[in-house]
Amino acid sequence: MSSTTTGQVIRCKAAVAWEAGKPLVIEEVEVAPPQKMEVRIKILFTSLCHTDVYFWEAKGQNPVFPRILGHEAGGVVESVGEGVTDLQPGDHVLPVFTGECKECAHCKSEESNMCDLLRINTDRGVMLHDQKSRFSINGKPIFHFVGTSTFSEYTVVHVGCLAKINPLAPLDKVCVLSCGISTGLGATLNVAKPKKGSSVAVFGLGAVGLAAAEGARISGASRIIGVDLNANRFELAKKFGVTEFVNPKDYKKPVQEVIAEMTNGGVDRSVECTGHVDAMISAFECVHDGWGVAVLVGVPHKDAVFKTSPMNLLNERTLKGTFFGNYKPRSDIPSVVEKYMNKELELEKFITHEVPFSEINKAFDLMLKGEGLRCIIRMDA
């Protein structure tokens, strides 16, 4: 990185969402230098996650516009602000929508990754240090998104939301680990923890669900049952270790009963990746009594509630939830990158499309049509 830009405003291209549901517009923006505990990074690759689309549509939450979306990416540090000691220009990093301050009770706990200071805040469009945006066009602020805003050639991120990774790792592959793939993978490896030879049901076979299946494959599960209402997803899912498929539409009875019959009383582990209440109940009730563990990953509607008989718990089934796969961004994500580097984890199969930055709206179209898993957006193209 050229040190000539340090301390200077950088003018670069960014894809700006001016209003809900309208195509993003490539604009020249000004990116201010990083302030205390902040880092400015050059984004090389970013990918589109369903969360970007959800907040772009802004149907169910507080609309914050104009905004630079994007949170799944890989880049290189351009400059660091005051107080930043563990990153320097040239370091390869993955920005993460949640963070790790390393000082709060959550960060000091071995059990939690829900940092008090930096956990996800979808309403905040400014930086924590001074409650201002680092992006502007002609002096008018453009808001940030979940602290990352990766749909820009340069962005400013709190140091606690950056995972420093192996510089040999290809950023066009490992960038997908900064959100959805780690979420699904960690839900299985860190929370469900299936034993070798066990059975796992995965509800929802999008990118996150397939990452959960990949975690079951890595764990040596002998049966991985994929549950989805879209039968077109079944063929692709075989690449991720899924051995059997259940489409709830094919049965008159609840899918948990179908799975219990298939598995002699229930699966050992289940991972729910849809966010739909019915699937959550099915995922919990389909695990075996005595030892079954169900893990909820999918984010529900804010008013959602579900009910199940307390006997399901008293009969020694366990229900757990997870956030970002229980990974601490700075401490744990570098080791997930190493799983890819040593060929334990396969990422190529998650990447189904690639577009140049100038055609970023094509990535939105693909996701809205439900085509593919991850679309990589090349910033230099």
Side-chain angles (χ1 to χ4, degrees):
M1 293 285 109
S2 165
S3 58
T4 55
T5 52
T6 302
Q8 307 294 313
V9 169
I10 290 179
R11 286 180 177 77
C12 70
K13 290 195 184 102
V16 178
W18 287 101
E19 52 185 306
K22 294 280 163 58
L24 306 189
V25 182
I26 304 286
E27 306 275 12
E28 185 180 85
V29 298
E30 297 190 336
V31 185
Q35 302 299 305
K36 188 175 182 181
M37 300 309 284
E38 296 172 2
V39 179
R40 186 162 59 183
I41 57 177
K42 179 179 171 75
I43 298 291
L44 298 179
F45 300 94
T46 185
S47 59
L48 184 65
C49 168
H50 194 265
T51 308
D52 296 306
V53 176
Y54 182 73
F55 283 91
W56 167 72
E57 291 177 326
K59 288 175 181 169
Q61 67 304 94
N62 190 18
V64 182
F65 295 98
R67 197 172 209 182
I68 296 171
L69 296 166
H71 64 284
E72 209 172 78
V76 179
V77 173
E78 174 270 337
S79 60
V80 301
E82 180 194 338
V84 175
T85 55
D86 52 354
L87 286 173
Q88 57 192 33
D91 283 345
H92 285 215
V93 290
L94 301 183
V96 182
F97 64 89
T98 185
E100 182 185 353
C101 73
K102 298 199 171 182
E103 291 173 7
C104 71
H106 284 277
C107 287
K108 286 181 174 171
S109 158
E110 289 181 11
E111 297 176 57
S112 175
N113 65 340
M114 300 187 71
C115 176
D116 278 328
L117 180 70
L118 299 168
R119 78 171 66 172
I120 187 170
N121 181 332
T122 55
D123 290 337
R124 189 172 62 231
V126 293
M127 298 301 286
L128 281 172
H129 172 63
D130 57 3
Q131 302 299 308
K132 291 179 181 167
S133 173
R134 301 288 171 260
F135 297 110
S136 60
I137 296 179
N138 299 326
K140 293 201 176 110
I142 307 294
F143 294 112
H144 294 252
F145 175 62
V146 297
T148 52
S149 292
T150 62
F151 295 165
S152 175
E153 291 176 323
Y154 287 86
T155 187
V156 176
V157 179
H158 191 285
V159 65
C161 299
L162 290 168
K164 179 182 173 181
I165 63 160
N166 183 342
L168 299 177
L171 287 171
D172 60 335
K173 306 294 189 295
V174 297
C175 65
V176 299
L177 289 173
S178 72
C179 177
I181 309 311
S182 294
T183 296
L185 185 73
T188 305
L189 296 181
N190 299 334
V191 189
K193 297 180 180 171
K195 295 185 172 78
K196 194 170 182 184
S198 62
S199 57
V200 180
V202 177
F203 288 73
L205 299 176
V208 176
L210 291 174
E214 178 78 353
R217 182 190 70 77
I218 290 170
S219 299
S222 59
R223 294 180 75 181
I224 304 173
I225 301 168
V227 184
D228 202 294
L229 295 168
N230 181 355
N232 295 334
R233 289 178 158 178
F234 293 167
E235 196 55 42
L236 176 64
K238 290 176 185 172
K239 287 187 189 173
F240 299 83
V242 179
T243 56
E244 299 155 76
F245 301 94
V246 175
N247 186 335
K249 289 195 287 199
D250 294 344
Y251 300 89
K252 294 249 181 343
K253 58 184 155 192
V255 71
Q256 53 267 48
E257 292 179 22
V258 176
I259 291 171
E261 285 174 14
M262 289 169 65
T263 55
N264 195 23
V267 286
D268 301 310
R269 302 289 186 265
S270 71
V271 186
E272 197 293 311
C273 302
T274 72
H276 292 290
V277 172
D278 292 344
M280 292 179 184
I281 295 167
S282 298
F284 176 49
E285 295 183 355
C286 81
V287 299
H288 206 289
D289 59 3
W291 61 78
V293 179
V295 179
L296 304 186
V297 182
V299 179
H301 186 274
K302 65 181 188 334
D303 300 322
V305 290
F306 66 78
K307 62 182 184 181
T308 187
S309 166
M311 286 309 300
N312 289 323
L313 289 153
L314 293 170
N315 287 334
E316 299 175 8
R317 292 178 184 85
T318 302
L319 179 62
K320 291 184 167 187
T322 177
F323 170 69
F324 190 51
N326 280 37
Y327 287 119
K328 292 178 186 275
R330 295 160 86 182
S331 302
D332 298 334
I333 293 303
S335 64
V336 183
V337 170
E338 293 310 312
K339 278 186 195 298
Y340 168 74
M341 294 298 281
N342 65 28
K343 300 192 165 45
E344 188 183 345
L345 165 66
E346 298 167 13
L347 292 178
E348 284 80 0
K349 58 195 177 186
F350 287 99
I351 299 165
T352 50
H353 297 84
E354 188 175 291
V355 296
F357 188 37
S358 58
E359 295 174 26
I360 188 169
N361 288 303
K362 212 180 263 184
F364 278 75
D365 293 341
L366 288 165
M367 187 158 277
L368 290 169
K369 287 180 193 156
E371 289 179 26
L373 295 173
R374 279 295 183 265
C375 179
I376 300 292
I377 299 155
R378 296 185 66 95
M379 300 306 287
D380 60 0

